[in-house]
Amino acid sequence: MLGLQLRKKRLSRSTGGDLVIFAFLAAGAAFMALPLVFAISNAFKPLNELFIFPPQFFVRNPTMNNFTDLFVLMGKSWVPISRYFFNSVFIVSIGMLGNVITGSLAAYALSKHEFPGKNFLNELVVLSLMFAPAVTAIPNYLTISYIGWVNTYWAVIVPAWQWTLGLYLMKKFIDAMIPDTLIEAARIDGASELRIYARIVMPIVKPAWLTLVILVFQQLWGVTGGMFIYAEELKTLPYALSQLAAGGIARQGVASAVTLMMMSVPIVIFIINQSKIVETMGTSGMGGE
Amino acid sequence: MSSVVTRAPAIGPEGGTQGKLAKLWESVYAARVTYLFLLPFFSLFLAFTVFPVVLSIVLSFTYFNMLQWPTWIGWNNYIRLFLADDVFLISVKNTLFFSAITGPLSYFMCFIFAWFINELQPKVRAFMTLLFYAPSISGNAFLIWTLLFSGDTYGYINGFLMYWGFVDRPVQWLLDPTYMMSIVIIVVLWMSLGTSFLVFIAGLQGISSSLFEAGAIDGIRNRWQELWFLTIPAMRGYMMFGAIISITGSFNAAGQLVALTGPTPTDYATWTVMQHLNDYGNVRYEMGYASAIAVLLFLTMVATQKIVQRLLNKVGS
């Protein structure tokens, strides 16, 4: 029955409660899905349907024209579109890798080690989450230009390696999922700290860093380079696509195709990671299913 | 390796400060491997977060236009904010109203929906997670809402209302102060099932099922008792995480508001503190003044976080 059937029937589950939950989920799902369905539908609308009155929610004569127009425009791009694509892939993958490594190393130490300054660092991490990023942008520009990274990939990659939210997330998961006794047992067995981190901590908190990967991907995927990167051949795919989509009513169809393409990539990443998370939960015997 | 575990420092013959320093050094030295783990993150953190934050706190006491060297003006920026800047006071009022609604609501939505979804079968669960998470992951897809609420007759809501005769002329949804704030709140809530929602989902799946089995034996009768006595206590660490996301998300809101109601909203009806900050920081280049706004916003968020932390400590105990 439409997914309402519980993962396992527990005594504590009443049918009435199931119905309440189902009603809430259905209402919520409709609210969440409508604009997305609309975005998908729009991408396949011919130009005249985009400006019809009264406006139609669903497409009547679906067409691929918006996409072919987009590809034609891509082909005319001065810098080949594959270059923008490479730039995005490079920034996202290196940024993500460094982010997960620095964040999880520090999170393990903050969660399971005792050392002078531990409480101070933990406080500092939480406080730093609450400072408006807008004002730190200019000092960071000065730092980056001082190092000489302006107009390089590193200007956007390296600052992404100290994402406090990611560290905080990893720490919460290590706190909750890894018992101190496990670490102590490994130490008694003579495992080095690096080995404990790589062979015990990281495999157990795999759901945490897979979640982190989704979040960081989303952060970095939208990066346009902004004030740091001004060379056209170093700019990213979102920047190039937004340029193609700009251009008033004539490009409205292309714009809706771009919207669909831009949002489908993070969604694919999400689906892949989510299925891995479920898999991990299944094999590690941690709760879940 | 035992070198990481802090050993009880040997008690030296000398006491006093020198002894304390020696003890501290000994425990620091014992934890040297720990510091290596912390080094990559915190050296970058120092350069790209701590340094800029400290700098902007200092700058908040100066006049700094980015061209001339900053001049020290003491508390003047703060005095000006409260006594000579009416627009700032409007933005404070708007931000408090906006945060009071979107902060708690987005938090409860994240938790309740994550908890509901966790009750489903794995395959359905993955699909529902995607559906609820999609709005926040899909970049600027929220601009769809500007089409829905567009003020001309092509706007879908106007088109619908006019077709069925509810109104005889298009409503300026995003320009009329009567509706602006409500619409912005709806759209922001729609997008709010993001980071904390995902973390709640992962956290809920990480709770060991033996906890619930033991609970059933101990006399947990229904899912609401299970939620209160077992799930929420097990989720406490993630709950604080989610609270911080909701606090920062609602107090820092600016981008979506600008995209919906424009850079200069009618009568400043959706003008938030963050927009005021951006206006002074990125448009007028009054960095000292912008920093003062950032410091005030920061203090407000820290205070809110402390209150929420106290509340969360009471829940489920």
Side-chain angles (χ1 to χ4, degrees), chain B:
Chain B
M1 241 195 291
S2 63
S3 62
V4 184
V5 188
T6 315
R7 283 181 297 241
I11 299 156
E14 76 275 75
T17 26
Q18 227 188 341
K20 268 186 190 164
L21 269 180
K23 270 185 200 171
L24 181 66
W25 168 246
E26 192 160 338
S27 47
V28 166
Y29 183 75
R32 59 193 183 280
V33 180
T34 303
Y35 293 110
L36 283 180
F37 273 71
L38 297 170
L39 188 70
F41 185 93
F42 280 96
S43 51
L44 293 170
F45 179 67
L46 194 68
F48 293 110
T49 301
V50 176
F51 164 70
V53 167
V54 171
L55 189 70
S56 63
I57 292 173
V58 175
L59 281 178
S60 73
F61 295 100
T62 66
Y63 173 79
F64 181 37
N65 58 12
M66 310 251 303
L67 296 170
Q68 292 153 307
W69 191 253
T71 46
W72 192 264
I73 55 168
W75 291 95
N76 276 0
N77 283 329
Y78 294 93
I79 293 167
R80 185 177 148 203
L81 274 172
F82 285 107
L83 298 182
D85 192 343
D86 291 341
V87 178
F88 174 70
L89 296 179
I90 295 175
S91 78
V92 169
K93 198 192 86 198
N94 286 341
T95 305
L96 290 179
F97 178 74
F98 176 86
S99 307
I101 292 178
T102 60
L105 267 183
S106 70
Y107 185 62
F108 285 119
M109 278 169 66
C110 284
F111 188 79
I112 291 292
F113 281 122
W115 184 59
F116 283 174
I117 285 175
N118 195 49
E119 299 268 295
L120 303 170
Q121 288 176 320
K123 272 185 188 157
V124 191
R125 185 164 67 205
F127 176 73
M128 289 302 259
T129 310
L130 172 66
L131 209 54
F132 279 80
Y133 183 58
S136 70
I137 207 178
S138 45
N140 56 7
F142 73 93
L143 292 178
I144 294 297
W145 289 92
T146 59
L147 283 176
L148 287 172
F149 283 109
S150 175
D152 52 26
T153 49
Y154 294 116
Y156 284 65
I157 299 211
N158 276 339
F160 176 82
L161 291 177
M162 287 170 72
Y163 185 81
W164 292 100
F166 288 108
V167 291
D168 55 1
R169 70 189 73 175
V171 180
Q172 297 296 322
W173 299 107
L174 298 169
L175 293 173
D176 186 338
T178 329
Y179 310 111
M180 284 159 73
M181 189 52 111
S182 321
I183 292 173
V184 162
I185 287 175
I186 291 171
V187 176
V188 167
L189 283 177
W190 177 71
M191 293 183 71
S192 67
L193 293 175
T195 310
S196 9
F197 174 68
L198 264 202
V199 169
F200 287 159
I201 294 262
L204 283 167
Q205 289 179 24
I207 301 177
S208 167
S209 49
S210 58
L211 180 70
F212 298 119
E213 282 151 21
I217 295 166
D218 287 347
I220 295 284
R221 296 200 174 277
N222 56 45
R223 75 181 92 216
W224 312 104
Q225 283 183 354
E226 188 180 285
L227 173 72
W228 186 258
F229 292 111
L230 302 175
T231 312
I232 289 179
M235 289 286 288
R236 184 162 284 145
Y238 310 116
M239 305 282 282
M240 195 60 230
F241 179 92
I244 290 180
I245 303 267
S246 285
I247 292 168
T248 55
S250 54
F251 279 103
N252 280 341
Q256 300 120 323
L257 281 77
V258 172
L260 288 168
T261 54
T264 49
T266 320
D267 293 346
Y268 294 105
T270 52
W271 190 254
T272 59
V273 172
M274 198 62 194
Q275 278 173 277
H276 204 59
L277 193 163
N278 285 336
D279 186 28
Y280 278 91
N282 302 333
V283 180
R284 303 173 199 227
Y285 291 115
E286 286 196 41
M287 283 312 289
Y289 198 62
S291 297
I293 300 174
V295 170
L296 286 176
L297 196 58
F298 172 67
L299 294 176
T300 315
M301 281 194 265
V302 172
T304 315
Q305 189 250 333
K306 296 283 176 215
I307 295 169
V308 171
Q309 188 149 35
R310 288 204 164 179
L311 289 176
L312 277 181
N313 286 342
K314 284 186 188 152
V315 169
S317 53

